[in-house]
Each structure stands twice: as structure tokens, then as C-alpha cells.
Amino acid sequence: LPPLSPALTVQKSFSADRARWVTYPWGQCGVKCGKSVQTRKVVCSTGQDHECAFGVKPSTEQDCEGQDCNRWQSGPWSDCSATCGKGKQRRRVWCGNDDEAECFGEKPQEVKTCMDEGPHCSDCRVTVYGGPMHDGWRA
């Protein structure tokens, strides 16, 4: 191999002196309850990973455990059961650790009343005692 030129040696030395691993904050744990993995970004300060090769690259992954195990969890609300007028919406509600006796706080609502008054509801208006009344279709 040919000897290194002084200019190349100085340039490499300068790059090595300023090159360091930059770590970003850890992301959220992959689950709300239980074991998972969280990740973060790790880059070389020069933008060239090979320039940081002299140092051990910090980990980009670590184990984590979601801490919401004793908290109520809830899924999304269903569509309204009525296509016109008053109906019900439902959702799944559960304790993160599967033991409702150990869950903190008040259990969230699983069923709620909804009202669909979309443009299709004009078909279900009737007149009673001289004025309009919206009764809605029964689902």
C-alpha cells in the first residue's frame, strides 16, 4: 500500500475528532400493558456512520414494559345502531391485566345513546297535530 499523504492524514484525524454517535430519545413502548420493545434513532454526527466506527454504536432497541396494566382500556365506538333517529353505540372495555377487581378508577362506559340525523332521515318525518315531528326509523 502507498503511504498516506499528510493532507489525507489530517483530514481523517479531523473527522475522527469531531465524529461521535448522536442518540435521539426513546420512542414509546410498543404496548400499553406487557412486554415489548422501544426504539430510538442513533446517527453519526458527521452523517457518515463509518466515521464513527472507532466508538461502539449505542443500542437502537431496548426492552420495555407498558405500565397501564391496572388501567381500564377501551376500544373504538361502533357505528350508531340506528340509521335514522335514536340508537346505541357500543365498545369493548377491559382491564389491562384481565382482573377487573384490580383496575384503578371508574370503568368507562360501554354503551351510549347516539342520534343519527343525516339527510336520509327526511323520509321519516310525520305530521302530528299540525306540526312536524321527527320519530325516526326503528333499527
Side-chain angles (χ1 to χ4, degrees):
L1 291 171
L4 293 175
S5 71
L8 186 57
T9 304
V10 170
Q11 182 181 0
K12 287 292 183 193
S13 175
F14 176 75
S15 292
D17 287 344
R18 67 184 175 107
R20 63 181 178 79
W21 291 112
V22 177
T23 58
Y24 287 77
W26 289 105
Q28 292 184 356
C29 193
V31 295
K32 289 184 177 182
C33 176
K35 296 180 188 287
S36 186
V37 174
Q38 63 187 148
T39 61
R40 68 176 173 183
K41 188 175 175 182
V42 178
V43 297
C44 185
S45 60
T46 65
Q48 302 295 321
D49 281 2
H50 69 274
E51 291 182 6
C52 285
F54 64 89
V56 176
K57 184 176 182 177
S59 177
T60 59
E61 289 187 353
Q62 73 177 5
D63 292 335
C64 63
E65 188 163 350
Q67 300 301 311
D68 288 343
C69 292
N70 289 350
R71 293 204 171 110
W72 290 106
Q73 311 287 324
S74 58
W77 287 106
S78 68
D79 291 336
C80 191
S81 62
T83 57
C84 184
K86 190 174 175 180
K88 301 272 186 208
Q89 284 180 286
R90 299 179 188 285
R91 67 177 175 180
R92 181 174 171 245
V93 175
W94 69 98
C95 186
N97 68 358
D98 294 325
D99 186 352
E100 292 191 7
E102 292 183 13
C103 249
F104 295 116
E106 187 176 332
K107 185 176 181 178
Q109 192 176 4
E110 293 181 83
V111 179
K112 70 178 181 178
T113 302
C114 56
M115 183 68 86
D116 187 336
E117 295 180 355
H120 54 279
C121 287
S122 61
D123 294 339
C124 57
R125 294 194 186 277
V126 295
T127 302
V128 176
Y129 300 112
M133 182 182 98
H134 178 66
D135 188 24
W137 299 110
R138 300 280 184 242

